[in-house]
Amino acid sequence: MDKNLLSEADILIVGAGFYGATLAERISTQLGRRVLVIDRRRHIGGNAFTEQDPATGVEIHRYGPHLFHTSNEEVWNYLRTFTGFTTYRHRGFSTYRDKVYPLPINLATICQFFGKRLSPDEARGMITGQAAELGDRPPANLEEKAISLVGRPLYEAFIKGYTAKQWQTDPRELPAQIIARLPVRYTFEDGYFTDRFQGQPVDGYTAIFERMLAHELIETRLGVDFFDIKPLLPKDLPVVYTGPIDRYFDYSEGELGWRTIDIDLEVMDTPDHQGTAIMNYADEAVPYTRVVEFRHFNPERQHKSDKTLIGREYSRFAGRSDEPYYPIDTRRDQAVYGRYLERAAAEKNLHLGGRLGTYRYLDMHQAIGAALKAFETVLGPYFAGKLDSVSRSL
Ligand code: FAD
Ligand code: UDP
């Protein structure tokens, strides 16, 4: 890479995902500073990258299905300056022992599963009775959290097998908050998310990034790995790093556990394979966790092809050369992460951010929200001369 690009830049941003792109956009447009963005992939957008599948014309989400939802009005308004949103509302389903149930677990799921008509109070009373096996203790892990929310029968049907496939880690070793992403409802409300603002970007996710990075003060270089150019960095150049934190420190404190997903794509000879965008498979004997049919994310589009594209998702432990998707976050991981944080605090030109940089599962709106906050509280004050470090207080 041209050395001049580095010496002319006011800041280097490693990673063109939502965290990096939001900061690049803010720093260039609001502060008039020069930003150099690099990504080791050959495209922008990070894990939210989408592109058109040549065989079917369907927009494919390369790193797994992405659904935008938020209740954060600031993030919603910010993102809407780069894209319109469709009226898409996600509905989830799970197949268990050859029957299809609505997800997240709601009154319809409960009535269907137990084969009874139950009122909200009756259902709640039944589940509370089942959850009583835990006693008064607060749930300490994923299994206990799930049982406290849905009781053992529903846990064993819809959560245990799926979680075993997704994490291949004892559910008693997994943190309770993973399951907090899967709400339970005592109504027939079957929308997957309850957020105030939901939809899919009208022209796909990649177009958002093209617009965010279009400013004349932003230079974007793709196919560039940070560690290849690290020796060339000018001494005081601030760096926003959104790659894996353990990689940054050359794994010196140990490796952090991640799950990755292999997506097995197949073009099916029918315009509609499963009638919905995502079908989960709860049975442990079915090797994949879910099947995604991408065209259903954009029902507003006229797809000319009479074929459809599906992806079967298989989850496994991520090695160093795999794409890290989900932080496993066991107690050991938390201890390792803590040690990296201590080391990061000593580097005043280093700002760690995003999903990989902070070892946290972040939804898109959370990554954008965190970047907007970092701009306000760290990067803005730094460029105004009010802070002498870009490292963030975590
Ligand atoms: P990323 O998008 O991961 O971007 C980091 C970038 O840094 C990458 O492009 C990477 O190539 C680059 N990088 C790393 N190391 C280096 C290096 N050494 N040199 C140069 N570049 C480097 N969120 C939702 O809101 N809704 C969803 O439905 C949803 N579904 C998801 C499904 C899956 C399977 C996954 C994995 C995530 C999903 N997410 C979803 C989360 C969403 O992907 C993240 O919130 C978002 O990608 C976070 O942005 P980021 O910038 O932190 O990280
Ligand atoms: N989960 C489950 N059964 C399902 C869907 C999810 O047990 O049918 C659990 C599982 O542990 C999973 C977590 O809930 O890791 C979060 O699932 P979600 O689908 O929200 O996350 P995603 O995989 O889409 O990020």
Side-chain angles (χ1 to χ4, degrees):
M1 196 175 69
D2 185 355
K3 249 184 156 174
N4 286 339
L5 276 178
L6 282 168
S7 55
E8 282 163 11
D10 293 313
I11 187 162
L12 170 67
I13 296 185
V14 181
F18 268 120
Y19 195 87
T22 301
L23 276 179
E25 189 280 330
R26 290 286 86 185
I27 292 168
S28 59
T29 63
Q30 304 303 300
L31 306 178
R33 300 287 179 157
R34 278 186 187 281
V35 184
L36 175 59
V37 178
I38 60 165
D39 203 298
R40 70 174 172 206
R41 292 171 175 169
R42 300 210 167 267
H43 60 73
I44 54 176
N47 277 2
F49 173 69
T50 55
E51 64 182 335
Q52 218 184 44
D53 170 55
T56 56
V58 166
E59 184 181 332
I60 168 170
H61 301 205
R62 273 286 158 208
Y63 302 93
H66 278 66
L67 302 158
F68 192 81
H69 59 99
T70 187
S71 292
N72 183 331
E73 198 160 359
E74 186 196 0
V75 168
W76 178 247
N77 288 337
Y78 174 71
L79 212 51
R80 279 198 308 161
T81 60
F82 307 102
T83 184
F85 280 92
T86 68
T87 55
Y88 182 82
R89 289 281 178 283
H90 188 60
R91 290 199 161 68
F93 297 93
S94 180
T95 297
Y96 171 66
R97 293 193 180 162
D98 245 6
K99 292 206 173 85
V100 178
Y101 298 86
L103 270 190
I105 295 172
N106 62 59
L107 205 45
T109 325
I110 298 171
C111 290
Q112 204 179 317
F113 184 78
F114 292 102
K116 288 189 200 166
R117 188 201 62 80
L118 293 163
S119 71
D121 282 346
E122 286 165 344
R124 201 187 302 270
M126 182 183 74
I127 302 290
T128 308
Q130 292 169 357
E133 66 169 274
L134 291 175
D136 291 335
R137 260 177 324 113
N141 54 51
L142 188 148
E143 177 166 299
E144 292 183 4
K145 177 77 183 175
I147 291 173
S148 77
L149 290 171
V150 300
R152 189 172 286 277
L154 290 166
Y155 164 71
E156 289 188 347
F158 296 110
I159 297 173
K160 196 175 175 194
Y162 189 95
T163 302
K165 290 190 284 186
Q166 172 84 340
W167 297 94
Q168 287 164 325
T169 301
D170 186 334
R172 283 163 296 196
E173 268 292 303
L174 289 168
Q177 76 255 22
I178 290 177
I179 209 73
R181 291 211 295 276
L182 200 72
V184 182
R185 299 188 197 126
Y186 292 102
T187 65
F188 287 104
E189 169 58 52
D190 63 351
Y192 198 76
F193 303 109
T194 51
D195 285 303
R196 281 169 67 199
F197 310 110
Q198 304 181 34
Q200 291 294 64
V202 170
D203 351 270
Y205 284 94
T206 305
I208 301 180
F209 292 90
E210 281 161 3
R211 291 171 199 141
M212 289 176 101
L213 297 171
H215 198 271
E216 57 187 11
L217 291 174
I218 304 178
E219 282 292 333
T220 305
R221 291 289 180 275
L222 300 174
V224 178
D225 193 309
F226 172 66
F227 298 100
D228 293 337
I229 62 159
K230 201 169 173 225
L232 309 175
L233 295 190
K235 195 167 142 279
D236 289 322
L237 184 68
V239 174
V240 171
Y241 174 84
T242 71
I245 184 171
D246 52 356
R247 169 70 184 99
Y248 184 88
F249 292 105
D250 207 14
Y251 307 105
S252 54
E253 306 291 335
E255 278 184 54
L256 291 167
W258 289 91
R259 307 287 305 159
T260 193
I261 290 176
D262 296 320
I263 305 176
D264 183 8
L265 293 172
E266 193 178 346
V267 174
M268 309 300 278
D269 204 9
T270 165
D272 196 348
H273 172 69
Q274 63 183 13
T276 191
I278 303 180
M279 177 61 75
N280 289 9
Y281 285 85
D283 301 274
E284 208 172 336
V286 177
Y288 38 86
T289 48
R290 55 188 189 182
V291 177
V292 182
E293 186 171 6
F294 296 95
R295 70 186 303 160
H296 288 292
F297 290 127
N298 299 102
E300 78 287 359
R301 291 184 192 167
Q302 298 296 320
H303 289 113
K304 296 205 178 67
S305 171
D306 53 5
K307 295 184 184 348
T308 188
L309 181 71
I310 64 158
R312 296 183 187 86
E313 294 190 1
Y314 299 84
S315 169
R316 64 178 167 81
F317 191 78
R320 283 189 190 182
S321 56
D322 294 315
E323 294 294 347
Y325 278 173
Y326 298 98
I328 300 177
D329 207 17
T330 59
R331 281 179 206 98
R332 182 202 154 271
D333 288 321
Q334 287 162 11
V336 171
Y337 178 61
R339 293 201 291 276
Y340 285 124
L341 276 191
E342 277 170 32
R343 295 196 50 183
E347 292 203 24
K348 75 184 192 62
N349 290 326
L350 172 65
H351 178 91
L352 289 166
R355 204 173 51 87
L356 305 165
T358 58
Y359 192 60
R360 252 184 296 177
Y361 186 93
L362 296 176
D363 272 328
M364 293 181 278
H365 66 102
Q366 294 168 318
I368 297 163
L372 292 176
K373 184 150 179 250
F375 176 73
E376 229 171 78
T377 59
V378 183
L379 279 314
Y382 170 82
F383 281 115
K386 293 183 190 150
L387 280 180
D388 66 352
S389 159
V390 295
S391 87
R392 36 183 283 155
S393 44
L394 290 154

